[in-house]
Amino acid sequence: MRKIFAALVVSTVLAGAAQAATVYPLDRATILSGSPFDFKVEFNSVVKPEDVKITVNGQDYKAVLGKDVQFVAEEKNKDKVLGSAVILRGLTIAAAGDYKVEVSAGSETKTVTWNVYGTGSAPKAKNIIFLLGDGLSVAHRTAARIMSKGMTEGKANGRLAMDDLDRMAFVGTSATNAVDTDSANTMSAYMTGHKTAVNAIGVYADRTPDSLDDPKVETIAEAVRRQTGKSIGIVVTAEVEDATPAAVVAHTRNRNDKADVVGMLLDVKPDVLLGGGSAYFLPQATAGSKRKDDKDYIKLFKDAGYSVATDKNELAANVNANGLLLGLFHPGNMDVTLDREFLKKGTVEKYPNQPGLVAMTKVALDRLSKDQDGFFLMVEGSSIDKMSHPLDWDRAVIETIEFDQAIAVAREFQKTHPDTLIVVTGDHTHGVSIIGTVDDDKPGTEMREKVGTYAEAGFPNYKDENGDGYPDKIDVSRRLFLAANNGPDHYETFRPKMDGPFVPAIQNEKKEYIANEQYKNVPGAVFVQGNIPKNGDSGVHSVDDVVLQSAGPGSEGFKGYMEESDIYKVLADTFALGSKQTN
Ligand SMILES: [Zn+2]
């Protein structure tokens, strides 16, 4: 008995020691052949350089990796010594296969295995259009279909553009440091093939406080530039330096490094870059600037050859022009479709000429398709997420309809350019479901009694008489009832928010978010007890899989369950990014 106990202690101690060091890329990383990445080992103690041993597939690492590592005697966070580290930046591995990396120094050891994958030598498609609905969940799709097309006797009266994509996969969105996730690490996994930590983009998240020194991995924009002559486009309704567009090009541990991301965008020079976020382009002295330096990025982009559009008329005037195009249509996130096109709320009075996602996507395709080498275009329906956080389901669903109309534009393009892969997916989900209807004509005095469930739900009575794909009004008498499974304390009003986006909770003097009293006296409103920590102002992302759909050459790679990082392998294979394109 004692002997067994002693053996257990020994094996436990050894197991603990074996886990001590951290190696980036992490275990089970998948790496595109020839794609540059940074290698880093973090020891938890101060070690001597001569004690550090690194082997790759049993050989001394220099024979395989080709370069010497840089030894860092002490990494610190303020005055706290974190331990020694070794770093090797801009490493590449050409030959496909498994690479077992064994690291030791003193009592610390760590073993990881990377898989380096190649691609075919011939591209399967000339163009890729990657359409990302931020936060796009199954409920958003179903609600968009019912609100846009209607339903009779249980069958949809029409189909969304996204309903007719050929292939499908379920995609896992979790981060390397948490089961839950955000738009930085999720889009970064799609755009680099490496999963990373919440808030990180194009890097593995290391332990040092500097957010710009973390071990980098190559982004798809960099890979496309390195291996092909293709053009690159980014079209979003958020700030162009927000997490999702940033992940196409950028490297930072912290998605809030938006001023730095603008510089990274200029480094890669997307041929078309359209969205909001001009505040980060303006030098600090300019009113409305969010920069803390004197750099004038509007001027720097112009100097680099960009023409600049600031509203939809200037954008339209640019359709047939050549060269680089920067469109910045709002200092922050652009207004959502419901406010921009229909209710004229939000900041639309101040910025009345913002283009929508459809117009921006058309301009991008017109310009990018002039490149004989082809293009990679990322289109984001950014505010599906931004309206799901404040539980404003009507605005989130209208955003989904707009996103779907951008997908329809891509599908039309694909008809005349069949050498185009289209991918439609979300980056993470929200905790929302459609549970029936709210029917003003249902008997009862309380709004809660007007919620129709099961047979009493009936069908909503939205109409689209003008055939624009949007319901003519959203405040109809029998409307869809979407409900969140999480959120802060708030009032449920059972009605669309016609005066502007919902603000469910506001901060009190204790810095806790409490229900916004503004909605307390809406007739029939009920108090909903929050179920997330009180420092949260809005609904949160959920861990549920997202649905990916695809059509066109290369789409056969999407099937079953996939990790977000595996999606990149299909994109890389479709463009044959493992080999240099000479045409
Ligand atoms: Zn979000």
Side-chain angles (χ1 to χ4, degrees), residues 134-135 181-183 255 385-386 389 427-430 539-541:
D134 200 310
T181 203
D182 81 314
S183 295
R255 58 183 286 175
D385 177 75
K386 294 189 192 303
H389 279 292
D427 52 350
H428 58 74
T429 47
H430 277 269
V540 298
H541 301 165

Side-chain angles (χ1 to χ4, degrees), residues 102-166:
E102 295 177 275
V103 173
S104 68
S107 65
E108 297 193 43
T109 66
K110 179 73 180 177
T111 300
V112 300
T113 302
W114 304 328
N115 179 259
V116 174
Y117 59 90
T119 65
S121 55
K124 292 177 176 173
K126 181 177 170 185
N127 314 306
I128 296 177
I129 309 174
F130 190 95
L131 298 115
L132 191 287
D134 200 310
L136 181 68
S137 313
V138 171
H140 294 119
R141 295 165 178 258
T142 309
R145 186 184 307 113
I146 294 172
M147 228 189 239
S148 172
K149 311 295 178 188
M151 177 175 272
T152 307
E153 294 173 340
K155 292 187 178 178
N157 295 339
R159 298 170 71 82
L160 298 172
M162 68 174 92
D163 289 335
D164 291 320
L165 294 156
D166 308 323

